[in-house]
Amino acid sequence: DYEKSKLIQEQVAFKFYASEGLPVICIRPAAIYGPRSRYGLAVPIFMIKSGLLRFIPGKGDFVGGYAHVYDIVAAAEFLSGKPDAVGQVFNVADDSAMPIGQAILLAASLLKAWMLPVHVPITPIKVAAFVDQTVSHWLGRRPTLERDLIGYMDRDSWMDNTKLKSLGYQLRYPTLKDGLPETIAWYKKQGWI
């Protein structure tokens, strides 16, 4: 539903581009992480730190798409100055092409958290997320597990950034290994973890 709502938003924006000449440039960000984030990749980081995630969900071999918040903002600013970009869609993602299991292990190593060397099937995790969301809704709190987030762990979500880079954009954080240590250090400094 989340991706569908974003696609509908793009379609509406491009209708204004076609009918009114409104200069529209669309960016499609990968999973955003970085300082101040409490969503997306921040969720498994918080879960690892609190001891709620000590295993690899699913096979862990699906490739994720990641983007540091700095690169999302910088790419948007960069594209806004490119007349050739008007009327086009650009993926904003880093070059990681890292499997999700490897990303979780990277976060765990940066947090110095102990992980069990096991893979837990994704179906029971989805059931737990459904129960958590239902109970959380009744209690009026944010769920620990979200089904939409779990959905990213059983499919590839890697995004090709070639089009963005072909215009000359250079990633400040080209891989998750470049940006995640700084992000976790920021969380620690703020007392979030």
Side-chain angles (χ1 to χ4, degrees):
D1 289 339
Y2 178 77
E3 287 90 353
K4 187 176 181 180
S5 72
K6 295 299 180 189
L7 179 61
I8 292 168
Q9 291 171 25
E10 280 183 24
Q11 292 167 342
V12 169
F14 281 121
K15 281 182 186 175
F16 280 98
Y17 169 64
S19 65
E20 306 297 325
L22 179 70
V24 172
I25 301 168
C26 180
I27 63 170
R28 292 179 181 162
I32 303 170
Y33 72 96
R36 294 178 181 77
S37 177
R38 292 182 185 261
Y39 190 69
L41 290 181
V43 173
I45 291 170
F46 297 150
M47 290 179 73
I48 291 167
K49 184 62 179 173
S50 68
L52 293 173
L53 181 59
R54 291 285 188 243
F55 55 85
I56 303 297
K59 293 180 181 178
D61 59 350
F62 289 102
V63 178
Y66 315 102
H68 193 282
V69 66
Y70 175 90
D71 281 312
I72 300 295
V73 174
E77 183 180 16
F78 172 82
L79 290 169
S80 72
K82 298 285 183 188
D84 312 3
V86 173
Q88 296 191 51
V89 177
F90 295 87
N91 292 334
V92 182
D94 69 17
D95 297 325
S96 290
M98 183 182 289
I100 293 163
Q102 189 179 339
I104 288 171
L105 292 175
L106 172 63
S109 71
L110 293 169
L111 292 164
K112 298 184 179 10
W114 178 76
M115 296 289 285
L116 289 167
V118 296
H119 295 262
V120 173
I122 207 76
T123 301
I125 298 169
K126 287 182 176 181
V127 171
F130 173 78
V131 171
D132 184 35
Q133 278 190 258
T134 303
V135 171
S136 295
H137 177 73
W138 291 337
L139 297 175
R141 66 171 172 84
R142 187 173 183 169
T144 302
L145 295 172
E146 293 184 27
R147 285 183 296 169
D148 290 345
L149 223 64
I150 302 300
Y152 287 104
M153 295 187 177
D154 68 348
R155 68 177 188 265
D156 290 323
S157 58
W158 176 83
M159 298 171 71
D160 184 359
N161 63 17
T162 304
K163 188 175 178 182
L164 172 65
K165 289 172 31 177
S166 73
L167 287 183
Y169 183 75
Q170 294 182 345
L171 294 160
R172 180 172 178 182
Y173 298 95
T175 70
L176 198 56
K177 290 179 182 177
D178 296 311
L180 201 55
E182 174 188 286
T183 300
I184 288 175
W186 188 90
Y187 288 156
K188 288 178 180 177
K189 185 176 179 182
Q190 300 305 311
W192 288 13
I193 56 173

